[in-house]
Amino acid sequence: MAAQRLLVDIHTHVYLPRYAAFLRSRTSVPRIFTRASPESGKPEERLLILDDEPSGGRPIGSQYWERDEKLKFMDRHAIDVSLVSSANPWLDFLPASTAHALAAELNDDLETYCSTGPSLSANLKRLYGFGLLPLVPQATTESLISTVEQVASLPHLKGVIMGTRGVGKGLDDEALDPVWAALEKAGLVVFLHPHYGVDKNAWGEKANGHVLPLALGFPFETTIATTRLILSGVFDRYPNLRVLLAHSGGALPQLSSRLASCVAHDPLVASRLRHDARYYLGKLYFDAVAYGSEELGFVSDVIGRADKYVSTGASAAVSSAKGTDGTAKRRAGAQRMLFGTDHPFFPPLGETEKWKSVVENLEAIDGVYGWDEADKDAVRGGNAFALFNLGS
Amino acid sequence: MAAQRLLVDIHTHVYLPRYAAFLRSRTSVPRIFTRASPESGKPEERLLILDDEPSGGRPIGSQYWERDEKLKFMDRHAIDVSLVSSANPWLDFLPASTAHALAAELNDDLETYCSTGPSLSANLKRLYGFGLLPLVPQATTESLISTVEQVASLPHLKGVIMGTRGVGKGLDDEALDPVWAALEKAGLVVFLHPHYGVDKNAWGEKANGHVLPLALGFPFETTIATTRLILSGVFDRYPNLRVLLAHSGGALPQLSSRLASCVAHDPLVASRLRHDARYYLGKLYFDAVAYGSEELGFVSDVIGRADKYVSTGASAAVSSAKGTDGTAKRRAGAQRMLFGTDHPFFPPLGETEKWKSVVENLEAIDGVYGWDEADKDAVRGGNAFALFNLGS
């Protein structure tokens, strides 16, 4: 099987049946509730995952929990393999003991979801997954480490998905060092994903639906969390830790030279880092969920330039290479970017054969200036095979 | 004089002497206070412009108010012309009547600052400026419009600088429509600049100095404000309004296709806009204060692609052009980008001939892949001549 020509979706979500049932049992956010449809009058389920969410939440249905719906979506878009992850808000809202028990159950559920699903060959399934850790306040290190070990023991789980709160103080909390160490040792990929956005006062009074928190708040949260991780020295202490950023890293690529400049002007912060801030972007992985070719090309530029910034913070490296290597850097950076869909979010408004959100992300990859077909194949699937060690 | 080869700094700040004296008279933020230097024991002035600012604020000195210091800085970096603007937080913290009176005085002061300064030729001064409007809660439309008219009457003021709060509800407030209309009619450029960032809880507990609010919070604020302007239809209603974004538009370029996708999935928001969200980025101007060549090249890409997205929101345009026009779009986009320094912020840590922050921004322009020398000259000065109608 020519693995490098397969289409692999590394950003695709599920609410496993056990989780959906749990959300239905709740009376506060996050929850699933049933209402009469304003159009048809028939009962319909709605999902509320944020406080003060507009429009009575969003529609939810079997595409969130039925494996057959995931496979139908994959077939419709010619997606060969999916790395499925629980959708936000994961276990964030639970007390530590509940979170630990539910994480263990959901990890087992996801392993079954993958392992009993269809195969492409003797060594290759169509479904793999990211597990969950009980990352909530009061979680003990022992609970977190034992869950990392559980995930590592489940052959179809290739990493963990996590939000940005850690055990309550964010991901730059030293209390998480044993968790990073355990994830690094186990070779599990960390898929970093937003949920909270930023303070909603920023969005103002005008009715813009979910547009501002989704289009801006989500990527801002990822940007902040990743920047705090960089500044905390986690990537210096755990250089083999593999972190995959949702939504192409949010705004981090565009703000990375500004970040490096601000760090360089603050001797205290600079002294804590082994390298210029831009160096660390070359240690990260980025999904290709940005909906535009120019965005993807740019993200590959900042990954590809990262090696120039190896060395120290305060007396940082030369600022920019000259023109001629523009395409070489861009092609190098493509090796750390991976196709994703964000399914089942961003469903089409009408009945369509294909989802606009998926088509746009595929067209974006296809249209990147300076990527050749091999680079595009890598982003569409080859990089996922390498990162997650699939098919071996 | 070959205007297209001059170096023009469009992002350079001042606290005029009247404003600095006003800040010294205050006992709450924003304020300038004197303390004994921890190193030398000698009295030194410090600037506090944000609540809960770390490290006792930041050093401040004559480079903030002395015109000779501005000119020395310009000479040291071979900057021919500067468009000087008041630094944040402008008049944001004042009651409406005080803000109106102080705006008028500071606009007159800035006109004098420019008009009595040195000239490069009979028709070209070295200093021009952005005026201030009394954009505070309870400001009357009459007060705002009369100040726009004052600024328009002062020959060396070419625009206004403003923050993101408008008259209290942000820039997407319909109450500002007469202001946009007046600015458009007067041909004054709006320089949109951040001050507040986002809620500081996002930065966590670790001591990172000013790095997170400056590197991320500032550009997030600009991104939010500009997005809200776009979604409010201001650029549809005032198509000739010229808005210049600080810090290369923050994160807006990188999030613009995601924004377009979120809008396209919300029929209500999409129906309010005449074009795909990405179209509006081609109506804006961006400073080139991003400290990296890849960032600048990317910003020019999103400007250059904007025309593809003319038409409607919901059934948006094709997602991305194919590879071959990559450099053509990039060169077109360079025509809306303008060199800036952010002086006197980001001073060098030690005694240096040139400021690292300035050198980095110049090197960034010089290193953009796909820009030829004419494009770079345009960004360094030619675009400023055109936008501000200098030297005529």
Side-chain angles (χ1 to χ4, degrees), chain B residues 10-66:
Chain B
I10 58 83
H11 188 156
T12 181
H13 296 299
V14 66
Y15 286 140
L16 290 166
R18 185 190 304 272
Y19 188 84
F22 186 76
L23 290 187
R24 282 190 198 96
S25 75
R26 289 174 52 83
T27 54
S28 59
V29 171
R31 61 186 288 236
I32 295 171
F33 68 99
T34 302
R35 71 171 190 189
S37 161
E39 289 85 32
S40 68
K42 290 182 187 162
E44 62 172 16
E45 287 196 316
R46 304 284 292 183
L47 170 68
L48 271 174
I49 54 173
L50 291 166
D51 291 326
D52 306 304
E53 196 158 2
S55 330
R58 54 195 101 189
I60 188 169
S62 58
Q63 72 275 25
Y64 281 78
W65 43 78
E66 290 286 354

Short mmCIF file of all heavy atoms in Angstrom, two decimals, chain B residues 10-66:
data_model
loop_
_atom_site.label_atom_id
_atom_site.label_comp_id
_atom_site.label_asym_id
_atom_site.label_seq_id
_atom_site.Cartn_x
_atom_site.Cartn_y
_atom_site.Cartn_z
N ILE B 10 6.05 55.29 9.59
CA ILE B 10 4.65 55.66 9.84
C ILE B 10 4.16 55.19 11.21
O ILE B 10 3.02 55.46 11.57
CB ILE B 10 3.72 55.15 8.73
CG1 ILE B 10 3.80 53.63 8.57
CG2 ILE B 10 4.06 55.80 7.38
CD1 ILE B 10 2.96 52.85 9.51
N HIS B 11 5.01 54.50 11.94
CA HIS B 11 4.60 54.03 13.28
C HIS B 11 5.66 54.46 14.28
O HIS B 11 6.61 53.73 14.57
CB HIS B 11 4.44 52.50 13.26
CG HIS B 11 3.83 51.94 14.52
ND1 HIS B 11 3.18 50.74 14.54
CD2 HIS B 11 3.77 52.42 15.79
CE1 HIS B 11 2.76 50.49 15.78
NE2 HIS B 11 3.10 51.49 16.56
N THR B 12 5.50 55.67 14.78
CA THR B 12 6.49 56.25 15.70
C THR B 12 5.74 57.20 16.63
O THR B 12 4.94 58.02 16.19
CB THR B 12 7.63 56.94 14.91
OG1 THR B 12 8.59 57.47 15.80
CG2 THR B 12 7.12 58.02 13.98
N HIS B 13 5.98 57.02 17.92
CA HIS B 13 5.10 57.65 18.91
C HIS B 13 5.77 58.80 19.65
O HIS B 13 6.99 58.91 19.71
CB HIS B 13 4.63 56.62 19.93
CG HIS B 13 3.79 55.53 19.35
ND1 HIS B 13 2.59 55.77 18.73
CD2 HIS B 13 3.97 54.18 19.32
CE1 HIS B 13 2.05 54.61 18.34
NE2 HIS B 13 2.88 53.64 18.68
N VAL B 14 4.90 59.60 20.24
CA VAL B 14 5.34 60.72 21.06
C VAL B 14 4.35 60.90 22.21
O VAL B 14 3.16 60.61 22.06
CB VAL B 14 5.41 62.00 20.18
CG1 VAL B 14 4.03 62.43 19.69
CG2 VAL B 14 6.10 63.15 20.90
N TYR B 15 4.87 61.28 23.38
CA TYR B 15 4.01 61.93 24.37
C TYR B 15 4.39 63.40 24.31
O TYR B 15 5.48 63.78 24.76
CB TYR B 15 4.26 61.39 25.78
CG TYR B 15 3.70 60.00 26.05
CD1 TYR B 15 4.43 59.07 26.79
CD2 TYR B 15 2.43 59.63 25.60
CE1 TYR B 15 3.91 57.81 27.05
CE2 TYR B 15 1.92 58.38 25.85
CZ TYR B 15 2.66 57.47 26.58
OH TYR B 15 2.15 56.22 26.84
N LEU B 16 3.54 64.19 23.72
CA LEU B 16 3.85 65.62 23.62
C LEU B 16 4.05 66.20 25.02
O LEU B 16 3.49 65.69 25.99
CB LEU B 16 2.71 66.33 22.89
CG LEU B 16 2.62 65.99 21.39
CD1 LEU B 16 1.28 66.45 20.82
CD2 LEU B 16 3.78 66.60 20.61
N PRO B 17 4.86 67.25 25.14
CA PRO B 17 5.15 67.81 26.48
C PRO B 17 3.89 68.10 27.30
O PRO B 17 3.85 67.84 28.51
CB PRO B 17 5.93 69.09 26.16
CG PRO B 17 6.63 68.76 24.87
CD PRO B 17 5.66 67.90 24.09
N ARG B 18 2.85 68.58 26.63
CA ARG B 18 1.61 68.87 27.37
C ARG B 18 0.99 67.59 27.95
O ARG B 18 0.45 67.58 29.05
CB ARG B 18 0.59 69.54 26.42
CG ARG B 18 -0.70 70.00 27.08
CD ARG B 18 -1.74 70.42 26.05
NE ARG B 18 -1.26 71.46 25.15
CZ ARG B 18 -1.35 72.77 25.40
NH1 ARG B 18 -1.92 73.20 26.51
NH2 ARG B 18 -0.89 73.64 24.52
N TYR B 19 1.11 66.51 27.17
CA TYR B 19 0.54 65.24 27.60
C TYR B 19 1.39 64.64 28.73
O TYR B 19 0.85 64.13 29.73
CB TYR B 19 0.46 64.29 26.40
CG TYR B 19 -0.29 62.99 26.64
CD1 TYR B 19 -1.68 62.93 26.52
CD2 TYR B 19 0.39 61.81 26.95
CE1 TYR B 19 -2.37 61.74 26.71
CE2 TYR B 19 -0.29 60.61 27.15
CZ TYR B 19 -1.67 60.58 27.02
OH TYR B 19 -2.35 59.40 27.20
N ALA B 20 2.71 64.70 28.57
CA ALA B 20 3.60 64.17 29.61
C ALA B 20 3.38 64.93 30.93
O ALA B 20 3.33 64.31 32.01
CB ALA B 20 5.06 64.27 29.16
N ALA B 21 3.22 66.24 30.85
CA ALA B 21 2.97 67.02 32.07
C ALA B 21 1.66 66.59 32.70
O ALA B 21 1.54 66.47 33.93
CB ALA B 21 2.94 68.51 31.72
N PHE B 22 0.68 66.34 31.86
CA PHE B 22 -0.61 65.89 32.35
C PHE B 22 -0.47 64.53 33.06
O PHE B 22 -1.03 64.32 34.15
CB PHE B 22 -1.59 65.80 31.17
CG PHE B 22 -2.99 65.49 31.56
CD1 PHE B 22 -3.81 66.46 32.13
CD2 PHE B 22 -3.51 64.22 31.36
CE1 PHE B 22 -5.13 66.16 32.50
CE2 PHE B 22 -4.82 63.91 31.73
CZ PHE B 22 -5.62 64.89 32.30
N LEU B 23 0.30 63.62 32.46
CA LEU B 23 0.50 62.30 33.09
C LEU B 23 1.24 62.43 34.42
O LEU B 23 0.98 61.69 35.37
CB LEU B 23 1.28 61.35 32.17
CG LEU B 23 0.56 60.85 30.91
CD1 LEU B 23 1.41 59.79 30.21
CD2 LEU B 23 -0.84 60.27 31.21
N ARG B 24 2.16 63.40 34.50
CA ARG B 24 2.89 63.61 35.76
C ARG B 24 1.98 64.12 36.87
O ARG B 24 2.23 63.90 38.05
CB ARG B 24 4.02 64.62 35.57
CG ARG B 24 5.25 64.06 34.89
CD ARG B 24 6.43 65.04 34.95
NE ARG B 24 7.39 64.65 33.95
CZ ARG B 24 7.45 65.18 32.72
NH1 ARG B 24 6.63 66.18 32.38
NH2 ARG B 24 8.32 64.73 31.85
N SER B 25 0.92 64.80 36.47
CA SER B 25 0.01 65.38 37.46
C SER B 25 -0.96 64.36 38.03
O SER B 25 -1.68 64.63 38.99
CB SER B 25 -0.80 66.53 36.83
OG SER B 25 -1.82 66.01 35.97
N ARG B 26 -0.97 63.15 37.44
CA ARG B 26 -1.97 62.16 37.84
C ARG B 26 -1.45 61.23 38.94
O ARG B 26 -0.25 60.99 39.05
CB ARG B 26 -2.40 61.33 36.62
CG ARG B 26 -3.24 62.12 35.63
CD ARG B 26 -3.53 61.32 34.39
NE ARG B 26 -4.10 60.01 34.67
CZ ARG B 26 -5.39 59.77 34.92
NH1 ARG B 26 -6.26 60.76 34.86
NH2 ARG B 26 -5.80 58.55 35.19
N THR B 27 -2.41 60.70 39.73
CA THR B 27 -2.02 59.77 40.79
C THR B 27 -2.51 58.36 40.50
O THR B 27 -2.24 57.44 41.26
CB THR B 27 -2.59 60.23 42.14
OG1 THR B 27 -4.01 60.41 41.99
CG2 THR B 27 -1.95 61.54 42.59
N SER B 28 -3.27 58.18 39.40
CA SER B 28 -3.68 56.82 39.03
C SER B 28 -3.26 56.57 37.58
O SER B 28 -2.94 57.49 36.84
CB SER B 28 -5.20 56.66 39.20
OG SER B 28 -5.89 57.60 38.40
N VAL B 29 -3.25 55.31 37.19
CA VAL B 29 -2.85 54.92 35.84
C VAL B 29 -3.80 55.50 34.81
O VAL B 29 -5.00 55.48 35.04
CB VAL B 29 -2.85 53.37 35.74
CG1 VAL B 29 -2.66 52.90 34.31
CG2 VAL B 29 -1.78 52.77 36.65
N PRO B 30 -3.34 56.06 33.68
CA PRO B 30 -1.94 56.19 33.28
C PRO B 30 -1.26 57.37 33.97
O PRO B 30 -1.86 58.42 34.15
CB PRO B 30 -2.04 56.44 31.78
CG PRO B 30 -3.35 57.15 31.61
CD PRO B 30 -4.27 56.56 32.64
N ARG B 31 0.01 57.19 34.31
CA ARG B 31 0.73 58.25 35.00
C ARG B 31 2.23 58.09 34.79
O ARG B 31 2.72 57.02 34.44
CB ARG B 31 0.42 58.23 36.50
CG ARG B 31 0.82 56.94 37.18
CD ARG B 31 0.36 56.92 38.63
NE ARG B 31 1.14 57.82 39.46
CZ ARG B 31 1.80 57.45 40.57
NH1 ARG B 31 1.78 56.19 40.97
NH2 ARG B 31 2.48 58.31 41.26
N ILE B 32 2.92 59.20 34.98
CA ILE B 32 4.39 59.19 35.04
C ILE B 32 4.76 59.54 36.46
O ILE B 32 4.26 60.54 37.01
CB ILE B 32 5.00 60.20 34.04
CG1 ILE B 32 4.69 59.79 32.59
CG2 ILE B 32 6.50 60.32 34.26
CD1 ILE B 32 5.08 60.84 31.55
N PHE B 33 5.59 58.73 37.08
CA PHE B 33 6.01 59.02 38.46
C PHE B 33 7.53 58.94 38.54
O PHE B 33 8.20 58.41 37.65
CB PHE B 33 5.35 58.05 39.45
CG PHE B 33 5.81 56.63 39.32
CD1 PHE B 33 6.78 56.11 40.18
CD2 PHE B 33 5.28 55.79 38.35
CE1 PHE B 33 7.21 54.80 40.07
CE2 PHE B 33 5.70 54.47 38.23
CZ PHE B 33 6.67 53.97 39.08
N THR B 34 8.06 59.53 39.60
CA THR B 34 9.51 59.54 39.80
C THR B 34 9.85 58.62 40.97
O THR B 34 9.18 58.62 41.99
CB THR B 34 9.99 60.97 40.13
OG1 THR B 34 9.61 61.82 39.04
CG2 THR B 34 11.51 61.02 40.27
N ARG B 35 10.88 57.82 40.76
CA ARG B 35 11.35 56.98 41.86
C ARG B 35 12.88 57.03 41.88
O ARG B 35 13.50 57.52 40.94
CB ARG B 35 10.87 55.53 41.69
CG ARG B 35 11.56 54.82 40.55
CD ARG B 35 11.25 53.32 40.52
NE ARG B 35 12.13 52.66 39.53
CZ ARG B 35 11.99 51.40 39.15
NH1 ARG B 35 11.01 50.66 39.62
NH2 ARG B 35 12.84 50.87 38.29
N ALA B 36 13.47 56.51 42.93
CA ALA B 36 14.92 56.38 42.97
C ALA B 36 15.31 55.14 42.19
O ALA B 36 14.74 54.06 42.41
CB ALA B 36 15.40 56.28 44.42
N SER B 37 16.23 55.28 41.28
CA SER B 37 16.67 54.14 40.49
C SER B 37 17.22 53.05 41.38
O SER B 37 18.06 53.33 42.24
CB SER B 37 17.74 54.58 39.49
OG SER B 37 18.46 53.45 39.03
N PRO B 38 16.78 51.80 41.20
CA PRO B 38 17.33 50.72 42.03
C PRO B 38 18.83 50.55 41.83
O PRO B 38 19.52 50.10 42.73
CB PRO B 38 16.57 49.48 41.54
CG PRO B 38 15.37 50.00 40.82
CD PRO B 38 15.75 51.33 40.28
N GLU B 39 19.34 50.92 40.64
CA GLU B 39 20.77 50.76 40.39
C GLU B 39 21.57 51.94 40.94
O GLU B 39 22.47 51.76 41.75
CB GLU B 39 21.05 50.63 38.89
CG GLU B 39 20.61 49.30 38.28
CD GLU B 39 19.15 49.29 37.87
OE1 GLU B 39 18.64 50.36 37.47
OE2 GLU B 39 18.50 48.22 37.95
N SER B 40 21.23 53.15 40.48
CA SER B 40 22.08 54.30 40.80
C SER B 40 21.59 55.10 42.01
O SER B 40 22.34 55.90 42.56
CB SER B 40 22.11 55.25 39.59
OG SER B 40 20.82 55.83 39.41
N GLY B 41 20.35 54.88 42.42
CA GLY B 41 19.80 55.70 43.50
C GLY B 41 19.34 57.08 43.06
O GLY B 41 18.71 57.81 43.81
N LYS B 42 19.65 57.43 41.82
CA LYS B 42 19.23 58.74 41.29
C LYS B 42 17.74 58.72 40.92
O LYS B 42 17.21 57.66 40.59
CB LYS B 42 20.05 59.08 40.05
CG LYS B 42 21.52 59.39 40.34
CD LYS B 42 22.24 59.77 39.05
CE LYS B 42 23.74 59.90 39.31
NZ LYS B 42 24.52 59.84 38.07
N PRO B 43 17.12 59.90 40.96
CA PRO B 43 15.70 59.91 40.57
C PRO B 43 15.54 59.56 39.09
O PRO B 43 16.35 59.97 38.24
CB PRO B 43 15.25 61.35 40.84
CG PRO B 43 16.47 62.13 41.12
CD PRO B 43 17.63 61.21 41.35
N GLU B 44 14.51 58.76 38.81
CA GLU B 44 14.23 58.43 37.42
C GLU B 44 12.72 58.39 37.24
O GLU B 44 11.98 58.06 38.17
CB GLU B 44 14.83 57.06 37.04
CG GLU B 44 14.26 55.91 37.85
CD GLU B 44 14.69 54.53 37.36
OE1 GLU B 44 15.67 54.44 36.59
OE2 GLU B 44 14.03 53.55 37.75
N GLU B 45 12.27 58.78 36.02
CA GLU B 45 10.84 58.74 35.75
C GLU B 45 10.45 57.37 35.18
O GLU B 45 11.20 56.76 34.43
CB GLU B 45 10.45 59.85 34.77
CG GLU B 45 10.48 61.23 35.42
CD GLU B 45 9.75 62.30 34.61
OE1 GLU B 45 9.92 62.33 33.38
OE2 GLU B 45 9.00 63.08 35.22
N ARG B 46 9.25 56.93 35.58
CA ARG B 46 8.71 55.66 35.10
C ARG B 46 7.31 55.91 34.55
O ARG B 46 6.57 56.77 35.04
CB ARG B 46 8.61 54.64 36.23
CG ARG B 46 9.90 54.37 36.97
CD ARG B 46 10.86 53.50 36.21
NE ARG B 46 10.42 52.12 36.03
CZ ARG B 46 11.15 51.18 35.44
NH1 ARG B 46 12.36 51.48 34.96
NH2 ARG B 46 10.69 49.96 35.29
N LEU B 47 6.95 55.11 33.57
CA LEU B 47 5.63 55.22 32.93
C LEU B 47 4.79 54.01 33.30
O LEU B 47 5.23 52.87 33.15
CB LEU B 47 5.81 55.27 31.41
CG LEU B 47 4.55 55.15 30.55
CD1 LEU B 47 3.65 56.37 30.72
CD2 LEU B 47 4.93 54.95 29.08
N LEU B 48 3.59 54.28 33.78
CA LEU B 48 2.62 53.21 34.05
C LEU B 48 1.42 53.46 33.14
O LEU B 48 0.74 54.49 33.29
CB LEU B 48 2.17 53.25 35.51
CG LEU B 48 2.98 52.46 36.53
CD1 LEU B 48 2.47 52.76 37.94
CD2 LEU B 48 2.89 50.96 36.25
N ILE B 49 1.16 52.55 32.21
CA ILE B 49 0.00 52.78 31.34
C ILE B 49 -1.04 51.69 31.42
O ILE B 49 -2.09 51.79 30.82
CB ILE B 49 0.40 53.01 29.86
CG1 ILE B 49 1.26 51.88 29.33
CG2 ILE B 49 1.08 54.35 29.68
CD1 ILE B 49 1.53 51.99 27.83
N LEU B 50 -0.74 50.64 32.17
CA LEU B 50 -1.73 49.57 32.31
C LEU B 50 -1.91 49.24 33.78
O LEU B 50 -0.95 49.31 34.56
CB LEU B 50 -1.27 48.30 31.57
CG LEU B 50 -1.23 48.36 30.05
CD1 LEU B 50 -0.45 47.19 29.49
CD2 LEU B 50 -2.65 48.38 29.48
N ASP B 51 -3.12 48.87 34.16
CA ASP B 51 -3.33 48.39 35.51
C ASP B 51 -2.50 47.13 35.72
O ASP B 51 -2.32 46.33 34.79
CB ASP B 51 -4.81 48.07 35.72
CG ASP B 51 -5.65 49.33 35.73
OD1 ASP B 51 -5.17 50.38 36.21
OD2 ASP B 51 -6.79 49.29 35.21
N ASP B 52 -1.98 46.96 36.91
CA ASP B 52 -1.24 45.74 37.26
C ASP B 52 -0.02 45.54 36.38
O ASP B 52 0.37 44.41 36.10
CB ASP B 52 -2.13 44.49 37.14
CG ASP B 52 -3.40 44.62 37.96
OD1 ASP B 52 -3.27 44.87 39.17
OD2 ASP B 52 -4.49 44.50 37.39
N GLU B 53 0.56 46.62 35.91
CA GLU B 53 1.75 46.48 35.08
C GLU B 53 2.91 45.97 35.94
O GLU B 53 3.10 46.46 37.06
CB GLU B 53 2.09 47.84 34.47
CG GLU B 53 3.06 47.75 33.32
CD GLU B 53 2.96 48.98 32.42
OE1 GLU B 53 2.19 49.90 32.72
OE2 GLU B 53 3.68 49.01 31.43
N PRO B 54 3.68 45.00 35.44
CA PRO B 54 4.77 44.48 36.26
C PRO B 54 5.96 45.44 36.32
O PRO B 54 6.04 46.40 35.55
CB PRO B 54 5.16 43.18 35.54
CG PRO B 54 4.74 43.36 34.13
CD PRO B 54 3.56 44.30 34.14
N SER B 55 6.87 45.18 37.22
CA SER B 55 8.19 45.82 37.30
C SER B 55 8.11 47.33 37.51
O SER B 55 8.99 48.05 37.05
CB SER B 55 9.02 45.57 36.03
OG SER B 55 8.70 44.37 35.43
N GLY B 56 7.08 47.81 38.14
CA GLY B 56 7.03 49.26 38.35
C GLY B 56 6.97 50.05 37.06
O GLY B 56 7.54 51.14 36.94
N GLY B 57 6.29 49.50 36.06
CA GLY B 57 6.16 50.21 34.79
C GLY B 57 7.43 50.11 33.97
O GLY B 57 8.25 49.22 34.15
N ARG B 58 7.59 51.07 33.06
CA ARG B 58 8.76 51.02 32.19
C ARG B 58 9.48 52.36 32.20
O ARG B 58 8.88 53.39 32.51
CB ARG B 58 8.35 50.63 30.77
CG ARG B 58 7.28 51.49 30.18
CD ARG B 58 6.66 50.84 28.94
NE ARG B 58 5.38 50.22 29.24
CZ ARG B 58 4.70 49.42 28.39
NH1 ARG B 58 5.19 49.15 27.21
NH2 ARG B 58 3.54 48.91 28.74
N PRO B 59 10.75 52.34 31.86
CA PRO B 59 11.50 53.61 31.86
C PRO B 59 10.94 54.56 30.82
O PRO B 59 10.46 54.14 29.77
CB PRO B 59 12.92 53.17 31.49
CG PRO B 59 12.80 51.83 30.85
CD PRO B 59 11.57 51.20 31.43
N ILE B 60 10.99 55.83 31.12
CA ILE B 60 10.53 56.84 30.16
C ILE B 60 11.48 58.02 30.27
O ILE B 60 12.02 58.28 31.35
CB ILE B 60 9.06 57.24 30.44
CG1 ILE B 60 8.51 58.14 29.33
CG2 ILE B 60 8.90 57.91 31.80
CD1 ILE B 60 7.01 58.35 29.39
N GLY B 61 11.71 58.68 29.17
CA GLY B 61 12.63 59.82 29.21
C GLY B 61 12.38 60.73 28.03
O GLY B 61 11.33 60.63 27.36
N SER B 62 13.36 61.55 27.76
CA SER B 62 13.15 62.62 26.78
C SER B 62 12.87 62.11 25.38
O SER B 62 12.32 62.83 24.56
CB SER B 62 14.38 63.55 26.77
OG SER B 62 15.54 62.79 26.45
N GLN B 63 13.24 60.86 25.11
CA GLN B 63 12.92 60.32 23.78
C GLN B 63 11.41 60.28 23.54
O GLN B 63 10.97 60.18 22.40
CB GLN B 63 13.56 58.94 23.57
CG GLN B 63 12.93 57.79 24.34
CD GLN B 63 13.47 57.64 25.76
OE1 GLN B 63 13.95 58.60 26.37
NE2 GLN B 63 13.36 56.44 26.30
N TYR B 64 10.61 60.37 24.61
CA TYR B 64 9.16 60.37 24.45
C TYR B 64 8.59 61.75 24.11
O TYR B 64 7.49 61.84 23.59
CB TYR B 64 8.47 59.84 25.72
CG TYR B 64 8.48 58.33 25.82
CD1 TYR B 64 9.62 57.65 26.23
CD2 TYR B 64 7.34 57.59 25.50
CE1 TYR B 64 9.63 56.27 26.32
CE2 TYR B 64 7.34 56.21 25.59
CZ TYR B 64 8.49 55.55 26.00
OH TYR B 64 8.50 54.19 26.08
N TRP B 65 9.29 62.83 24.50
CA TRP B 65 8.69 64.15 24.29
C TRP B 65 9.56 65.15 23.55
O TRP B 65 9.04 66.12 23.01
CB TRP B 65 8.18 64.74 25.60
CG TRP B 65 9.11 64.58 26.77
CD1 TRP B 65 10.22 65.33 27.03
CD2 TRP B 65 9.01 63.62 27.83
NE1 TRP B 65 10.83 64.89 28.17
CE2 TRP B 65 10.11 63.84 28.70
CE3 TRP B 65 8.11 62.59 28.13
CZ2 TRP B 65 10.31 63.07 29.84
CZ3 TRP B 65 8.32 61.84 29.27
CH2 TRP B 65 9.41 62.08 30.10
N GLU B 66 10.87 64.95 23.51
CA GLU B 66 11.74 65.94 22.88
C GLU B 66 11.83 65.71 21.38
O GLU B 66 12.25 64.64 20.93
CB GLU B 66 13.15 65.85 23.47
CG GLU B 66 13.27 66.32 24.90
CD GLU B 66 13.20 67.84 25.03
OE1 GLU B 66 13.17 68.54 23.98
OE2 GLU B 66 13.16 68.31 26.18
#
